[in-house]
Amino acid sequence: MRVRINLLQWSLVVLPLLSAAQPTQLITSARPNSDRSADSAGRSASEHQFIDGSASESATDATENQAVLNVLPLFGERTKTAAQIDYEVHFLSDCDQNFSSRQEASKFFADRGWDYISDGQLDTAAYRFNLAWLLNHNNVDAYWGLGVVCYQKEKLPDAIRMLKRGLAVADSNVVLMTDLATVQIKYYQVKQQKDDLAEAEQHLLKAVAINPRSADPYQKLSLVNYMKGEYNKAWEYLHQARSLDLSAIDLTFLNDLLARHPDPKGVFK
């Protein structure tokens, strides 16, 4: 199994007045290219030809509109045209011939999606995640990856919607919960709707209940309570994050919290 690597620096989600950075990445989930198996790398080399080959028989029906739909989450969730149905039939048939199962094929395209996110090719990544979803509606990485793509494109409502769909498939995934909360915190910064912050807090509390050894949810709970003006709680959660992983502490946020309220434990001054 490939190892997930952090894509989001904590400073990307703090309040705009705390950081000038813009949201371009989410905390999770691209896999490093070096982790590809030889078989996967070989398939990846012919990936475009494989997809194009499936589409070639209906190429005359291809339109600019279809190219747009390919990169919308879940193909835009619209009624399918005859050309789309024809393409999907050929694509699924080709996958059935080239993979041992549609679940394996779905994982292959999701893995490629994460690779394209790492390379900054967001539209190509979105298309791969859409294909992964087409092959297996229960592949959490399809929804998760689309959520990351939407977040990086600063389409926060779509990102939240996709991450919630993923969480419906994997409701105990702590990293996914934290990603969803991260986007909801950012959306709260934009819209100032208290429900978004409250829901983010609930996801983070559930995350730490499932895995109390994960530092990142505690760090984000500290930020949530900072936003609520509950500085003692913010410090409490920050110290919990510090005890688990000192590198999880963002110095910019730490300095702003210090400016609002001194550390009750006197560790930070």
Side-chain angles (χ1 to χ4, degrees), residues 50 113 165 197 224 249:
F50 178 73
R165 292 280 294 268
L197 195 62
V224 166
I249 304 302

Side-chain angles (χ1 to χ4, degrees), residues 54-266:
S54 298
S56 61
E57 295 187 34
S58 58
T60 57
D61 297 313
T63 65
E64 183 178 349
N65 183 56
Q66 182 58 48
V68 172
L69 291 177
N70 285 343
V71 300
L72 292 178
L74 310 183
F75 295 105
E77 299 183 273
R78 302 175 186 180
T79 302
K80 297 175 183 178
T81 65
Q84 287 175 295
I85 293 172
D86 186 52
Y87 167 75
E88 290 182 6
V89 168
H90 284 94
F91 173 74
L92 293 172
S93 176
D94 282 353
C95 286
D96 290 341
Q97 295 176 43
N98 284 275
F99 296 90
S100 63
S101 68
R102 290 189 180 180
Q103 288 76 16
E104 181 197 2
S106 179
K107 181 181 182 302
F108 168 78
F109 283 103
D111 285 347
R112 301 290 73 72
W114 292 121
D115 292 335
Y116 284 118
I117 285 181
S118 293
D119 294 339
Q121 299 182 52
L122 299 182
D123 283 348
T124 305
Y127 186 29
R128 298 306 181 271
F129 288 124
N130 279 334
L131 294 174
W133 169 78
L134 183 63
L135 286 154
N136 178 13
H137 284 12
N138 289 320
N139 185 346
V140 62
D141 277 318
Y143 303 107
W144 200 343
L146 287 167
V148 173
V149 168
C150 291
Y151 183 80
Q152 292 197 24
K153 290 183 174 182
E154 301 186 49
K155 297 179 179 179
L156 301 184
D158 284 340
I160 291 171
R161 183 167 57 87
M162 288 298 103
L163 293 175
K164 283 184 175 181
R165 292 280 294 268
L167 199 58
V169 173
D171 62 1
S172 62
N173 191 308
V174 168
V175 182
L176 177 54
M177 271 178 224
T178 307
D179 274 5
L180 174 55
T182 299
V183 182
Q184 290 173 317
I185 291 170
K186 187 62 189 176
Y187 197 50
Y188 167 76
Q189 295 173 258
V190 175
K191 294 294 185 179
Q192 294 295 304
Q193 297 292 326
K194 290 183 178 180
D195 287 348
D196 293 317
L197 195 62
E199 193 171 340
E201 185 174 26
Q202 290 306 307
H203 287 307
L204 293 169
L205 289 171
K206 183 177 180 180
V208 298
I210 293 172
N211 183 9
R213 302 300 300 170
S214 179
D216 196 62
Y218 288 111
Q219 169 75 86
K220 290 184 174 61
L221 279 167
S222 180
L223 177 59
V224 166
N225 282 278
Y226 176 96
M227 292 175 171
K228 292 166 62 177
E230 297 181 5
Y231 302 122
N232 282 324
K233 277 191 175 181
W235 276 115
E236 179 183 341
Y237 284 121
L238 193 70
H239 281 298
Q240 286 177 290
R242 174 185 63 86
S243 69
L244 293 169
D245 183 3
L246 184 60
S247 67
I249 304 302
D250 178 79
L251 296 180
T252 301
F253 173 65
L254 173 61
N255 288 330
D256 281 283
L257 182 55
L258 278 168
R260 292 295 183 96
H261 193 80
D263 180 2
K265 293 187 177 182

